[in-house]
Amino acid sequence: LNLPTISGLDLYRKMNEIDSLVGIPVIIMTAQSDRATVLEAIELGIAGFVVKPFDTDDLAAKVIKVLAQMSRN
């Protein structure tokens, strides 16, 4: 979530201001796991949240889940 010039959540907000980017699922990978950050991400509509260090199986499961949701829509 901590990029050099903007937070990941702020970047996601900006993405949603651009019509061609609205609805693109985003999985956030971060070292931040505090409740407030997770809840904010959920409220914004982030498709997945992975806390670093992460297990590759957990990441793969989240990607598969997002892709499955996309195929249903």
Side-chain angles (χ1 to χ4, degrees), residues 2 7 10 14 21 25 32 38 43 55-56 62 64 68 70 73:
N2 297 316
S7 81
D10 286 338
K14 289 191 178 291
L21 300 179
Q32 295 178 295
V38 174
E43 288 172 4
D55 178 74
T56 54
K62 291 195 190 269
I64 289 168
M70 288 175 59
N73 294 335

Side-chain angles (χ1 to χ4, degrees), residues 3-34:
L3 303 171
T5 60
I6 190 171
S7 81
L9 294 178
D10 286 338
L11 176 61
Y12 184 75
R13 284 184 190 93
K14 289 191 178 291
M15 285 177 60
N16 282 317
E17 294 173 3
I18 301 169
D19 290 339
S20 61
L21 300 179
V22 172
I24 294 176
V26 172
I27 298 174
I28 287 184
M29 296 166 61
T30 181
Q32 295 178 295
S33 61
D34 61 280

Side-chain angles (χ1 to χ4, degrees), residues 51-66:
V51 178
K52 296 187 275 184
F54 60 89
D55 178 74
T56 54
D57 291 336
D58 182 40
L59 176 59
K62 291 195 190 269
V63 170
I64 289 168
K65 180 180 175 184
V66 168

